[in-house]
Amino acid sequence: MTRDLVNGAVGGVFATAAMSVVMLAGDRMGLMPDQPPKRIARAVLPGHRHRPKSGEEVLGAITHFGFGAACGALYALVRGRRRTPILLGAGYGLAIWFVSYEGWVPRLGILPPISGDRPGRPAVMAAGHVVYGTVLVMAVNRLNGAAEA
């Protein structure tokens, strides 16, 4: 069980890095100039929840990777050492996106729900989460295979 959690967390960190590349590309294309992890950090730091704050980018990155590692550990705990098809990983990534961006993120007043968000951001975030889930499954499958060898 501990190995599953560690493999999932490590896979989640790799997957979050890959997802972050998609998000940065979306930013460069002008589709989402304000990154959601930064907006989430801004909302929890002291002061006005929608005004930029010192340290929000660093805290946003740390919490983004922490959330990615936690979601990876949860995935691996549920799946165990069974090899997972890539398509299931993509679905897992989309489920995280949907639950977050239709659930707790808008409920906390950080960003609007998917249907009310600015054009472009939902597509970039959905693509990023598909990348997250795909890379997560690939990494965990590989780590589990290496552990068995």
Side-chain angles (χ1 to χ4, degrees):
M1 181 167 115
T2 301
R3 181 178 288 160
D4 295 335
L5 289 172
V6 170
N7 286 352
V10 169
V13 167
F14 282 118
T16 303
M19 174 186 181
S20 296
V21 171
V22 174
M23 292 168 61
L24 290 172
D27 184 11
R28 295 221 173 155
M29 292 187 300
L31 297 173
M32 48 182 277
D34 213 7
Q35 296 288 325
K38 183 173 78 170
R39 294 279 299 269
I40 293 167
R42 181 182 296 164
V44 299
L45 286 169
H48 191 279
R49 68 182 306 115
H50 297 295
R51 290 207 177 105
K53 299 178 182 112
S54 176
E56 69 184 22
E57 287 190 28
V58 172
L59 181 61
I62 290 168
T63 57
H64 191 228
F65 277 89
F67 187 73
C71 287
L74 176 64
Y75 158 80
L77 186 62
V78 170
R79 289 298 296 167
R81 299 227 172 87
R82 293 176 298 199
R83 193 156 191 80
T84 305
I86 299 291
L87 194 56
L88 187 62
Y92 181 68
L94 283 173
I96 293 168
W97 169 67
F98 188 80
V99 167
S100 297
Y101 291 90
E102 279 294 318
W104 66 270
V105 172
R107 281 197 183 97
L108 292 175
I110 297 167
L111 288 168
I114 295 165
S115 61
D117 205 349
R118 63 176 290 140
R121 186 176 10 232
V124 172
M125 293 306 294
H129 282 83
V130 166
V131 168
Y132 171 86
T134 301
V135 172
L136 174 65
V137 164
M138 290 169 52
V140 172
N141 283 346
R142 183 165 185 118
L143 288 167
N144 285 342
E148 291 171 2

